Amino acid sequence: VYVTIPSVRLIKSKAFIHLFNEFTPVLAFFVAVQVTDFFTATAIFMVVTVIALTTGWYLDRRFPLFPIIAGSFVLIGGGITLYFDTPDGIILADSIYYLGLGLLVWLSLILDKNILKIIFGHTFAITDRGWTILAHRWIMIFLIAGIANEVARHFLTPEAWANFKVLKVITVGLFGFYQFTVSRRHRLPEESNEWGLRI
């Protein structure tokens, strides 16, 4: 019986690294909240975030911008939560993260410097109209996620918020995968494959 071992290319793929950075710390946080208290789970969340970012750097030899920003908010918000013994630190940091990203993308459009194109232009080859559509969609989802997180902060227990956070991350992740329909529809045929990924 032979066991197929995933290729190094698959393990080092940017998609795998992004998913690892995004979901592993949140999953660890969710599990920890179920078996321990919120503050211990927060500490575990912070440690696993550092491990995920370090592993991502080891595999890709660079720190992607958005995971670094998200990780920074986890560490700062988590530090505030542990130091001041209040769950609001890390929960509010999540609101600021999503609202801040929405405002950042919106401001980049006002300045005619679409930040999504600047960051992901080496990965996707799509038209300017496609980048604009993506920017407007991400502004919407970031603002919705931030506002929803603030509502959850006021009405949910910290433990219930941990469950909400997992649902929110999964929703944003699925939304991100759905945007391949935009990159496919607005791709530059001579520079990309059928999904708009640069070749």
Side-chain angles (χ1 to χ4, degrees):
V1 178
Y2 295 93
V3 177
T4 302
I5 300 176
S7 66
V8 174
R9 168 180 282 185
L10 174 62
I11 294 177
K12 288 189 174 183
S13 71
K14 288 179 172 52
F16 174 85
I17 294 170
H18 175 74
L19 290 174
F20 182 81
N21 282 329
E22 185 75 21
F23 289 103
T24 303
V26 175
L27 180 61
F29 179 54
F30 170 76
V31 173
V33 165
Q34 311 308 312
V35 298
T36 185
D37 63 275
F38 185 83
F39 297 98
T40 302
T42 297
I44 292 172
F45 190 15
M46 296 168 67
V47 170
V48 177
T49 294
V50 173
I51 293 173
L53 289 173
T54 303
T55 303
W57 176 85
Y58 176 77
L59 293 175
D60 200 33
R61 284 296 186 267
R62 70 185 186 90
F63 287 119
L65 180 61
F66 284 119
I68 279 292
I69 295 175
S72 298
F73 274 88
V74 169
L75 296 179
I76 294 172
I80 292 173
T81 283
L82 297 179
Y83 184 81
F84 292 102
D85 195 32
T86 173
D88 270 358
I90 195 165
I91 300 176
L92 180 59
D94 224 39
S95 299
I96 297 173
Y97 168 70
Y98 284 107
L99 293 174
L101 285 181
L103 292 175
L104 179 63
V105 178
W106 174 69
L107 182 61
S108 74
L109 287 184
I110 291 177
L111 298 176
D112 199 26
K113 301 287 185 182
N114 191 328
I115 192 171
L116 297 183
K117 182 178 180 180
I118 293 173
I119 295 175
F120 298 108
H122 66 284
T123 303
F124 293 91
I126 62 178
T127 65
D128 286 340
R129 174 169 171 73
W131 285 116
T132 300
I133 292 173
L134 286 176
H136 282 110
R137 290 187 176 189
W138 279 108
I139 290 170
M140 176 191 68
I141 196 66
F142 284 146
L143 294 181
I144 290 174
I147 293 170
N149 194 77
E150 271 300 281
V151 173
R153 183 170 73 90
H154 285 90
F155 291 100
L156 298 181
T157 65
E159 292 74 18
W161 174 81
N163 300 333
F164 167 79
K165 179 173 177 59
V166 173
L167 177 62
K168 181 178 58 184
V169 169
I170 291 174
T171 301
V172 173
L174 291 175
F175 175 84
F177 279 113
Y178 179 70
Q179 301 320 302
F180 276 105
T181 59
V182 176
S183 63
R184 185 177 190 178
R185 187 163 60 248
H186 294 276
R187 70 188 184 93
L188 299 174
E190 66 279 5
E191 300 178 31
S192 67
N193 63 15
E194 62 176 318
W195 292 103
L197 293 168
R198 193 175 292 279
I199 56 178

